[in-house]
PDB file of all heavy atoms in Angstrom:
ATOM      1  N   LEU A 310      34.482-109.705  80.897  1.00  0.00           N
ATOM      2  CA  LEU A 310      33.165-110.122  80.346  1.00  0.00           C
ATOM      3  C   LEU A 310      33.357-111.151  79.170  1.00  0.00           C
ATOM      4  O   LEU A 310      32.756-112.157  79.095  1.00  0.00           O
ATOM      5  CB  LEU A 310      32.404-109.016  79.754  1.00  0.00           C
ATOM      6  CG  LEU A 310      31.421-108.302  80.811  1.00  0.00           C
ATOM      7  CD1 LEU A 310      30.434-107.421  80.006  1.00  0.00           C
ATOM      8  CD2 LEU A 310      30.602-109.319  81.538  1.00  0.00           C
ATOM      9  N   ALA A 311      34.270-110.730  78.261  1.00  0.00           N
ATOM     10  CA  ALA A 311      34.575-111.650  77.166  1.00  0.00           C
ATOM     11  C   ALA A 311      35.111-113.035  77.612  1.00  0.00           C
ATOM     12  O   ALA A 311      34.682-114.031  77.092  1.00  0.00           O
ATOM     13  CB  ALA A 311      35.606-110.989  76.213  1.00  0.00           C
ATOM     14  N   ASN A 312      35.917-112.958  78.688  1.00  0.00           N
ATOM     15  CA  ASN A 312      36.380-114.243  79.232  1.00  0.00           C
ATOM     16  C   ASN A 312      35.320-115.056  79.811  1.00  0.00           C
ATOM     17  O   ASN A 312      35.245-116.309  79.699  1.00  0.00           O
ATOM     18  CB  ASN A 312      37.439-113.964  80.282  1.00  0.00           C
ATOM     19  CG  ASN A 312      38.816-114.440  79.858  1.00  0.00           C
ATOM     20  OD1 ASN A 312      38.997-115.404  79.013  1.00  0.00           O
ATOM     21  ND2 ASN A 312      39.840-113.714  80.187  1.00  0.00           N
ATOM     22  N   ARG A 313      34.351-114.365  80.449  1.00  0.00           N
ATOM     23  CA  ARG A 313      33.155-115.087  81.042  1.00  0.00           C
ATOM     24  C   ARG A 313      32.388-115.799  79.892  1.00  0.00           C
ATOM     25  O   ARG A 313      32.052-116.999  80.007  1.00  0.00           O
ATOM     26  CB  ARG A 313      32.207-114.180  81.687  1.00  0.00           C
ATOM     27  CG  ARG A 313      32.538-113.959  83.178  1.00  0.00           C
ATOM     28  CD  ARG A 313      31.835-112.787  83.668  1.00  0.00           C
ATOM     29  NE  ARG A 313      32.368-112.350  85.011  1.00  0.00           N
ATOM     30  CZ  ARG A 313      31.801-112.620  86.073  1.00  0.00           C
ATOM     31  NH1 ARG A 313      30.674-113.211  86.171  1.00  0.00           N
ATOM     32  NH2 ARG A 313      32.394-112.333  87.236  1.00  0.00           N
ATOM     33  N   LEU A 314      32.185-115.060  78.845  1.00  0.00           N
ATOM     34  CA  LEU A 314      31.445-115.607  77.705  1.00  0.00           C
ATOM     35  C   LEU A 314      32.194-116.833  77.057  1.00  0.00           C
ATOM     36  O   LEU A 314      31.612-117.828  76.817  1.00  0.00           O
ATOM     37  CB  LEU A 314      31.316-114.522  76.566  1.00  0.00           C
ATOM     38  CG  LEU A 314      30.084-113.658  76.633  1.00  0.00           C
ATOM     39  CD1 LEU A 314      30.134-112.733  75.404  1.00  0.00           C
ATOM     40  CD2 LEU A 314      28.839-114.539  76.534  1.00  0.00           C
ATOM     41  N   LEU A 315      33.502-116.645  76.957  1.00  0.00           N
ATOM     42  CA  LEU A 315      34.327-117.772  76.401  1.00  0.00           C
ATOM     43  C   LEU A 315      34.237-119.021  77.265  1.00  0.00           C
ATOM     44  O   LEU A 315      34.165-120.084  76.771  1.00  0.00           O
ATOM     45  CB  LEU A 315      35.738-117.318  76.213  1.00  0.00           C
ATOM     46  CG  LEU A 315      35.995-116.279  75.086  1.00  0.00           C
ATOM     47  CD1 LEU A 315      37.432-115.822  75.020  1.00  0.00           C
ATOM     48  CD2 LEU A 315      35.604-116.854  73.742  1.00  0.00           C
ATOM     49  N   ARG A 316      34.302-118.725  78.542  1.00  0.00           N
ATOM     50  CA  ARG A 316      34.235-119.987  79.476  1.00  0.00           C
ATOM     51  C   ARG A 316      32.835-120.645  79.282  1.00  0.00           C
ATOM     52  O   ARG A 316      32.777-121.875  79.300  1.00  0.00           O
ATOM     53  CB  ARG A 316      34.438-119.518  80.894  1.00  0.00           C
ATOM     54  CG  ARG A 316      35.878-119.233  81.197  1.00  0.00           C
ATOM     55  CD  ARG A 316      36.243-119.257  82.590  1.00  0.00           C
ATOM     56  NE  ARG A 316      35.549-118.223  83.397  1.00  0.00           N
ATOM     57  CZ  ARG A 316      36.064-117.004  83.616  1.00  0.00           C
ATOM     58  NH1 ARG A 316      37.249-116.654  83.069  1.00  0.00           N
ATOM     59  NH2 ARG A 316      35.351-116.081  84.312  1.00  0.00           N
ATOM     60  N   THR A 317      31.809-119.845  79.186  1.00  0.00           N
ATOM     61  CA  THR A 317      30.476-120.476  79.035  1.00  0.00           C
ATOM     62  C   THR A 317      30.372-121.284  77.678  1.00  0.00           C
ATOM     63  O   THR A 317      29.964-122.361  77.579  1.00  0.00           O
ATOM     64  CB  THR A 317      29.383-119.423  79.030  1.00  0.00           C
ATOM     65  OG1 THR A 317      29.644-118.547  80.120  1.00  0.00           O
ATOM     66  CG2 THR A 317      27.985-119.965  79.099  1.00  0.00           C
ATOM     67  N   LEU A 318      30.986-120.592  76.638  1.00  0.00           N
ATOM     68  CA  LEU A 318      30.873-121.218  75.353  1.00  0.00           C
ATOM     69  C   LEU A 318      31.764-122.477  75.178  1.00  0.00           C
ATOM     70  O   LEU A 318      31.388-123.364  74.456  1.00  0.00           O
ATOM     71  CB  LEU A 318      31.205-120.229  74.245  1.00  0.00           C
ATOM     72  CG  LEU A 318      30.163-119.176  74.052  1.00  0.00           C
ATOM     73  CD1 LEU A 318      30.746-117.945  73.217  1.00  0.00           C
ATOM     74  CD2 LEU A 318      28.984-119.750  73.222  1.00  0.00           C
ATOM     75  N   THR A 319      32.873-122.466  75.817  1.00  0.00           N
ATOM     76  CA  THR A 319      33.795-123.588  75.717  1.00  0.00           C
ATOM     77  C   THR A 319      33.716-124.599  76.835  1.00  0.00           C
ATOM     78  O   THR A 319      34.290-125.645  76.692  1.00  0.00           O
ATOM     79  CB  THR A 319      35.279-123.066  75.587  1.00  0.00           C
ATOM     80  OG1 THR A 319      35.546-122.360  76.826  1.00  0.00           O
ATOM     81  CG2 THR A 319      35.480-122.314  74.382  1.00  0.00           C
ATOM     82  N   GLY A 320      32.968-124.218  77.838  1.00  0.00           N
ATOM     83  CA  GLY A 320      32.837-125.085  79.032  1.00  0.00           C
ATOM     84  C   GLY A 320      34.194-125.292  79.783  1.00  0.00           C
ATOM     85  O   GLY A 320      34.305-126.270  80.450  1.00  0.00           O
ATOM     86  N   LYS A 321      35.126-124.315  79.566  1.00  0.00           N
ATOM     87  CA  LYS A 321      36.426-124.490  80.259  1.00  0.00           C
ATOM     88  C   LYS A 321      36.408-123.819  81.610  1.00  0.00           C
ATOM     89  O   LYS A 321      35.930-122.666  81.685  1.00  0.00           O
ATOM     90  CB  LYS A 321      37.516-123.976  79.360  1.00  0.00           C
ATOM     91  CG  LYS A 321      37.850-124.927  78.270  1.00  0.00           C
ATOM     92  CD  LYS A 321      39.107-124.519  77.487  1.00  0.00           C
ATOM     93  CE  LYS A 321      39.291-125.433  76.344  1.00  0.00           C
ATOM     94  NZ  LYS A 321      39.691-124.843  75.070  1.00  0.00           N
TER      95      LYS A 321
END
Side-chain angles (χ1 to χ4, degrees):
L310 268 194
N312 248 328
R313 273 167 192 257
L314 268 183
L315 289 176
R316 285 199 296 271
T317 311
L318 285 163
T319 58
K321 283 187 184 142

